[in-house]
Amino acid sequence: MAKLNVNGKALDVQVAEDTPLLWVIREQIGLTGTKYGCGVAQCGACTVHIDGVATRSCSVPVSAVTAEQKIVTIEGLSPDGRHPVQQAWIKHDVPQCGFCQSGMIMATVALLQANPKATEADIASEITNICRCGTYARVKTAILDVVAGGTLGRG
Amino acid sequence: MTSASTASSKTPSSKANLSRRSLLAGSVAAAGAFSFGFAIPFGSEAQAQGATPEINAWVVIHPDDKVVIRIVRSEMGQGTLTGLAQLVAEELNCDWTKVTTEYPTPGQSVARNRVWGNFSTGGSRGIRESNEYVRKGGAAARMMLIQAAANEWKVPAAECSAEKSVITHKASGRSLRYGQVAAAAAKIEAPKDVALKDPKDWTIAGKPLPRLDTVDKTNGKKIYGMDLKMPGMLNAAIKDCPVFGGKVKSFDAAAIKAMPGVRHVLPVGDSAVTVVAETWWQAKSALDALPIVWDEGEHAKVSSESIAAWLKEGLDAPVAVVGNQNGDVKAAIAAAAKTVEAVYSYPYQNHATMETMNATAVWTPDRCEVWTPTQNGEAALAATAEAAGLPIAKCEAYKIDLGGGFGRRGASQDWVRQVVAIAKQIPGTPVKLIWSREEDMTHGRYHPVTQCKMVGAFDKDNNLTGLHMRISGQSIVAGLFPQTIQNGRDPAVFQGLNAPGPEASIGYGVPNLLVDHAMRNPHVPPGFWRGVNLNQNTIYLESFMDELAHSVGKDPLEFRRGLMKNHPKHLAVLNAVAEKAGWGKPLPDGVFRGICQTMGFGSYVAAVAEVSVSPAGQLKIHRIVAATDPGHAVNPAQIERQVEGSFVYGLSASLYGEITIKDGRVEQENFDTYEVMRLEAMPAVETVIVPSGGFWGGVGEPTIAVAAPAVLNAIFAATGKRIRSLPLKNADLKKA
Ligand code: FES
Ligand code: FES
C-alpha cells in the first residue's frame, strides 16, 4: 500500500513496497507514457519529476516516495501537451521511433527549470538519456531553441 | 520486389495496367474477432459496414474530405509512414492537411490476394521497393475521382483537373470536393493506363514535410506494444537458456507459486521458462527467484577467443566461395614490386532497440490473434499460425508501431512464437510478454562476426595491380534461412564488393581482383543489423584503401579517384563530400580528416570525418560530412534525420559496440556493459543530398557504413595508428 501524488492527484495504490516507481506508474496507475528501457538507471526512458527533479523511476522503490512529494509524468507535464519543450520538439520534428522521447522531454524540462540558460556544454553533460534512433542533434537544437526563446515558465 | 499481387508492380514502365480486380478485390475483413474494448490501430470499421467505400486498396476518402492512406510497411522511426503517404498524396492531388494513415492487417492482405504487396520493412526497402505501385494507387484514385465528377457534370474527364482535393471543370467554372464524389468514384472501373508524374513536378513528395506522427510522441499518448492493455490480460516474463542451443532441464515452480500475483509458471518450447502474473513486475521478480536447471548443450565452452581462432583459420583456408573476380590476383601478387597486407576484424553487435521485444496474444482452439511491433506483419502472421497450430485464415497479427527496429524485428519473429506458445497454455486469456533488457541483450540476433585479410599488389610505378580480399566468418542468411545456402555461398556477404551493377557494387576498378568468403558459422544466432554486411565490408575495404594510398605516398582522395574512372556515380558522391568538407583545406590545429565511400541498399554514399586525439589518447569527433545519392529524395528533411541517426548507430558500434561470448553465452546484459553513444559524443553532422535520378535507393542504412571508416582513417591521419579491430574503446590511441 502506498500513497502517492501523481500529476496533482492523490492516489492509494496496492503494491509491494519494493516495486519500482516506474512499474507502479505503468501498471497500477496505468500511465504508459513513462517507458521501460533498462531498469538499471542507464537509459533515462523512465524519467519523471519528483518535486521538479528529473528522476529515473525504474531505480526508485515506491516506498522511497512520500505522499507529499509531487510526481509528474509526461502525461502531467502540461494540460494540453503544449509545454514549450513539447512545442520545440514538434517544431523541430525531433522524435524518430519516439520511445525514448518522454524521458528526453522530462529530462530537458528539469534541466531548463534549474538552468534556463543552459549551454551546449550543459546539455551535453546533463542530457545523458539514450536514444538508439540517434535524435541527439535535433534534441540539442530543440533545447537551444527553447533557451533562445526564453519561453520556459511562460508556457 | 517479391510477388506483390498488384499487376502494376511487375511492370517497370511508368504506365501499367491496373486491373479492377487488383484494386477493388473484396472488402476489408472486419478487424478482429475478439472484442476487448481495445481499439486496434485500424480505423476502417465504418468501411467494413459499407459507409465509406474505398476508392482503391490504397485510398479511402470520407464525405468530409478526410483522406485515409493505407500503409503496409512498418514505421519504426525511419519516417516511412510519412514518405509513403507523401508519394500516394502526390499522385492523388489531395489536400495534405487532410491526410491520415492506417495499417491494413496481414490477415486482410491474405484475404485480398495480397493486394498490398510485401509487408517486409528492412534493407531500406520501405520506399524504394513500393514507390511505383503506391504512386499508381494514388494516381488511379485521382483519375476515378475526376471521372466521377465528370460523369456528374456530363463533361469529358479530360476537361477536368484536380488540385488539393477539389475537382474543377474550368470551362463551366464548376467544382466538387473529393468527399462529395468519393462514393461515386468507388463504383467506377479502375483505369487501365496510369501515368505517373515526373518527379520534377512534385509538390508534396520530395518536400521536407514534417512527419505525420510526431505529436503523440511528445505527450505520452503514443501506444507501443509494451503499453497495450486488455481486460483480463496477464503479463509474462521469460528466460531462455543462456547458452544458445541449450535446453531447460527442470524448474521448481513450487518455489515461487506463492509470490504475489503469480498465476502460471510454464515451459516455452524446450529452451525457455515463463512466469505469468498479474503485473509484469511481479512476473519478472518471480522469474528472477525461480530455480532453473539448464542443459547447456554442446556450446557451453565456446568463447570469443575460440570463435576468433576459428575465423582466423579461414583467412588462409584453401576453400572459399568467390564473390567478385577479374583478372588473376594470385599472379599479380606474385609479380608485384610491392605488396601490402593487413588483417581486420569486426565484433558481434546487439541491435539494442530502445523498446525490448514484446507481443500480446490470445489463443483459443479456433482463433489466435497477436499484437506486436514487427518489421514484417506477414512474417508475424505466419509465425502466429505456425505456433498456434491453426491455419492462417484463423489467425491475425496486428502491427503496432515499433520502439526501434534496426533489423531485429524483421526476419525471425522469435518473440511472436514465444507469446503464442504461452497463450496456448492459457486458452482465452490475453497475455502480454515483455522481454527484460537482460533477456533482450543476451538473446538477440546479432550482427555477425567476421575477419578479413587484405592483400594489395603494386607494380614498380606504384600502380595498384591486384587486390585480394578474403572474408572469413559468419553468414546471416545461413543462420536465418539455412535452406537457401548452397555450396557455402551466401551472396549477401559480398555487400558493397559486388561487380558493377545496381546493387552494392564495389566502387573501384582494379586490374586483378578477388573477393572471396570462407564461411564459419559460430552458434551465436546472427541477424540483419541496420547496414548489415555493408558495415564491416566498408570498414575493411575503405581502411585498406587508405593504407594503400599512404603506402605509396598518395593523398587518400586522389588515390581513390585514380581507381574510380569507370564508377561515375560512386565518384560523384565522393567528390560531393570532399568539396563540402573542404578536403585539402587547412584545419584547426590538431584536427585531422578521413574520407571513404561505398554503395549499398541502392544508394551511393560517402563521408568525411574530422577528429582530434588528445595526448592521453582521448578521441573527439568534431564534424562529419555525409553525402548520399539515393536516386530520388522523397523527403529531404527525413533523409537528413536518417543520415544523422545512422551515424549515431554506426559510431556507437565503432566506438563502443561489442558483444562478447564466454561459456557459450553473451557476457553483456545491459547498457552499463553494452555501451552506446549518448548526446555528449554526438558530432555535428552535415548532410549533402545529391539525388541524380533514374533509380530508387534506400536511406535508413547505407550511411552507417561510412561512419566508422571515415573516423578510422582520420584517426590514422591524427596518430599514425591504424585501428584494424573494433570497437575503438579497446584501442590505445595514445601517441607512441
Ligand atoms: S528504464 Fe530507467 S533508466 Fe532505463
Ligand atoms: S527516438 Fe527512437 S530511441 Fe529515441
Side-chain angles (χ1 to χ4, degrees), chain B residues 240-248 270-272 294-300 442-443 445 522-525 663-665:
Chain B
D240 206 340
C241 182
V243 179
F244 305 108
K247 293 182 173 29
V248 177
D270 59 6
S271 72
W294 304 105
D295 167 8
E296 296 186 346
E298 54 178 321
H299 303 301
T442 54
H443 289 86
R445 294 292 180 272
H523 75 299
V524 178
D663 299 333
R665 68 198 77 201

Side-chain angles (χ1 to χ4, degrees), chain A residues 94-101 104 130-135, chain B residues 76-77 217 224 353-355 402-404 406:
Chain A
V94 172
Q96 289 194 22
C97 83
F99 196 80
C100 71
Q101 298 294 340
M104 282 281 183
I130 294 174
C131 173
R132 289 291 284 155
C133 297
T135 61
Chain B
M76 48 190 165
K217 294 174 182 170
Y224 297 84
T353 57
M354 211 60 233
E355 179 192 27
L402 294 72
F406 312 128

Side-chain angles (χ1 to χ4, degrees), chain B residues 69-129:
Chain B
I69 294 177
R70 303 253 177 79
I71 307 286
V72 301
R73 307 291 171 142
S74 299
E75 175 58 46
M76 48 190 165
Q78 83 283 38
T80 288
L81 175 90
T82 304
L84 287 171
Q86 282 177 271
L87 288 169
V88 176
E90 178 65 58
E91 298 291 343
L92 184 58
N93 283 10
C94 67
D95 180 348
W96 178 249
T97 63
K98 301 225 160 57
V99 168
T100 61
T101 58
E102 72 180 12
Y103 296 139
T105 68
Q108 289 159 350
S109 184
V110 170
R112 293 179 64 174
N113 202 14
R114 286 192 90 216
V115 65
W116 289 287
N118 191 357
F119 278 55
S120 171
T121 314
S124 298
R125 284 188 300 255
I127 286 178
R128 64 191 175 115
E129 277 193 3

Side-chain angles (χ1 to χ4, degrees), chain B residues 7 87 279 329 420 457 471 555 672 720:
Chain B
L87 288 169
T279 69
V329 86
V420 173
I471 302 164
D555 172 79
D672 49 355

